[in-house]
């Protein structure tokens, strides 16, 4: 029997490639804010795999109501695997109704909310996978500014959001009976996230990434493996050589600060409760 896998960020550069791999053996639920892009992806998936089983859920991760509706819809779909793959980097920053910036809301809080809501209410969920990033190493927890709203560097804001998602998932799912966790990262590869450099150097940067780092088709191998594998506490799956090149390998995070991870999880609990009760 096929697993039913729901994927956030399914129409993005890496998400699309992951879907093309997973659709061969699984039924997919595309979770994306743009239904037209989801339909276009579905056509491509059906072209590659005519027997594919594909469904859609519209979800704007920057909008709390949309996120809650999507979580309820995912429970009704009886999914087996939830893949948290959405990520935004250098986009215009605004404050969401929760009070956090949209990058933190999209990359962490909304996806964390969906995962916890399914873990606590779905009778079928067996596994959660998430796309982390080596950028989670940038910065450390700032309780006075958890979403890094006072920072200016996109790399810090993005890395902090991935840090929250990764560490809070480790802490929550280590005690979650019956639901496995896989954390994966693609290393460095050419995606739309690289389109944030000044125009005069952006082509040079993109060429350098294309020449010296793995292609997106190779980078997604870690994400695809995560759908079939699981990670222990503080482990992830990523390129085997310096977290950049080579075949996917499971390894321990370097310099994993357990005390900070637990503090992030404590804050995540509060954020989840507030999002559940106040909005």
């Amino acid at each position: 029997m096929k697993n039913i896998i729901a994927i956030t960020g399914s129409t993005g550069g890496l998400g699309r490639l992951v879907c093309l791999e997973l659709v061969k053996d699984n039924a997919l639920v595309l979770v994306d804010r743009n239904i037209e892009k989801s339909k276009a992806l579905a056509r491509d998936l059906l072209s590659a795999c005519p027997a594919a089983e594909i469904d859609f859920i519209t979800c704007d991760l920057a909008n709390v109501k949309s996120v809650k509706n999507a979580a309820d819809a995912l429970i009704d779909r009886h999914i087996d695997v939830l893949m948290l793959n959405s990520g935004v980097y250098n986009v215009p920053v605004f404050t969401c109704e929760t009070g956090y910036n949209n990058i933190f809301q999209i990359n962490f809080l909304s996806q964390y909310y969906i995962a916890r809501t399914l873990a606590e209410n779905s009778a079928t969920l067996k596994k959660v996978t998430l796309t982390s990033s080596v950028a989670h190493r940038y910065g450390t927890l700032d309780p006075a500014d958890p979403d890094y709203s006072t920072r200016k560097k996109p790399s810090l804001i993005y890395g902090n959001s991935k840090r929250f998602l990764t560490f809070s998932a480790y802490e929550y799912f280590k005690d979650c009976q019956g639901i496995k966790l896989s954390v994966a990262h693609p290393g460095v590869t050419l995606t739309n996230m690289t389109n944030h450099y000044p125009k005069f150097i952006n082509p040079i940067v993109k060429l350098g990434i294309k020449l010296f780092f793995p292609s997106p088709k190779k980078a997604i191998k870690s994400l695809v493996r995560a759908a079939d594998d699981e990670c222990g506490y503080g482990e992830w799956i990523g390129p085997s050589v310096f977290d950049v090149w080579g075949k996917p390998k499971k390894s321990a995070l370097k310099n994993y600060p357990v005390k900070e991870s637990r503090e992030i999880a404590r804050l995540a609990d509060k954020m989840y409760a507030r999002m559940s009760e106040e909005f």
Side-chain angles (χ1 to χ4, degrees):
M1 180 181 295
K2 293 183 177 181
N3 277 328
I4 302 175
I5 302 179
I7 309 176
T8 66
S10 52
T11 65
L14 296 184
R16 181 179 183 279
L17 293 175
V18 169
C19 288
L20 284 166
E21 286 296 320
L22 294 180
V23 76
K24 299 170 186 176
D25 301 305
N26 305 278
L28 301 184
V29 180
L30 310 180
V31 183
D32 197 272
R33 66 175 180 171
N34 189 320
I35 188 63
E36 295 306 319
K37 285 187 177 181
S38 292
K39 290 179 178 178
L41 174 57
R43 289 192 292 270
D44 290 342
L45 294 173
L46 287 167
S47 178
C49 185
E53 299 175 34
I54 304 166
D55 200 356
F56 315 95
I57 290 177
T58 303
C59 179
D60 180 352
L61 290 169
N63 182 285
V64 172
K65 183 177 180 181
S66 180
V67 170
K68 288 190 168 186
N69 288 341
D72 291 340
L74 285 168
I75 293 171
D76 291 340
R77 295 299 198 282
H78 304 292
I79 67 169
D80 301 292
V81 180
L82 173 66
M83 297 190 73
L84 305 177
N85 182 64
S86 284
V88 293
Y89 185 61
N90 190 35
V91 298
V93 178
F94 59 87
T95 301
C96 297
E97 57 194 306
T98 57
Y100 300 113
N101 67 59
N102 54 311
I103 295 174
F104 188 82
Q105 186 75 42
I106 292 168
N107 292 356
F108 161 62
L109 185 52
S110 290
Q111 294 190 92
Y112 179 76
Y113 176 89
I114 291 172
R116 277 197 59 167
T117 299
L118 264 65
E120 295 172 10
N121 296 280
S122 171
T124 59
L125 185 67
K126 299 181 293 187
K127 186 174 186 180
V128 171
T129 82
L130 66 89
T131 301
S132 185
S133 170
V134 292
H136 84 274
R137 299 166 181 159
Y138 304 158
T140 57
L141 171 65
D142 182 354
D145 184 25
D147 63 341
Y148 273 28
S149 60
T150 62
R151 272 65 167 186
K152 300 300 181 183
K153 283 188 175 182
S155 59
L156 291 179
I157 300 170
Y158 172 79
N160 176 67
S161 66
K162 286 293 187 178
R163 194 175 184 86
F164 259 80
L165 180 63
T166 303
F167 290 4
S168 60
Y170 282 139
E171 298 299 333
Y172 179 77
F173 285 100
K174 72 178 182 181
D175 298 320
C176 196
Q177 297 296 319
I179 302 176
K180 299 175 182 178
L181 174 69
S182 284
V183 177
H185 75 96
V188 178
T189 191
L190 186 62
T191 70
N192 288 335
M193 287 189 180
T194 61
N195 290 326
H196 62 275
Y197 296 98
K199 288 184 178 180
F200 67 94
I201 66 168
N202 197 44
I204 300 173
V205 173
K206 292 175 71 173
L207 178 61
I209 294 174
K210 188 175 182 179
L211 289 175
F212 296 107
F213 294 102
S215 68
K217 285 187 176 181
K218 290 183 178 179
I220 65 159
K221 290 183 181 296
S222 297
L223 311 185
V224 172
R225 174 175 163 179
D228 294 320
D229 207 338
E230 64 180 284
C231 294
Y233 182 72
E235 291 183 331
W236 68 353
I237 299 167
S240 57
V241 181
F242 302 118
D243 293 327
V244 176
W245 299 280
K247 295 180 179 179
K249 178 184 177 182
K250 188 186 302 182
S251 61
L253 267 72
K254 299 178 178 67
N255 302 316
Y256 179 53
V258 175
K259 183 177 180 181
E260 181 185 349
S261 181
R262 291 173 180 168
E263 179 62 16
I264 283 176
R266 187 185 68 80
L267 291 174
D269 284 341
K270 289 186 175 181
M271 294 174 186
Y272 175 79
R274 178 171 172 262
M275 190 165 163
S276 300
E277 298 166 5
E278 294 185 17
F279 299 96

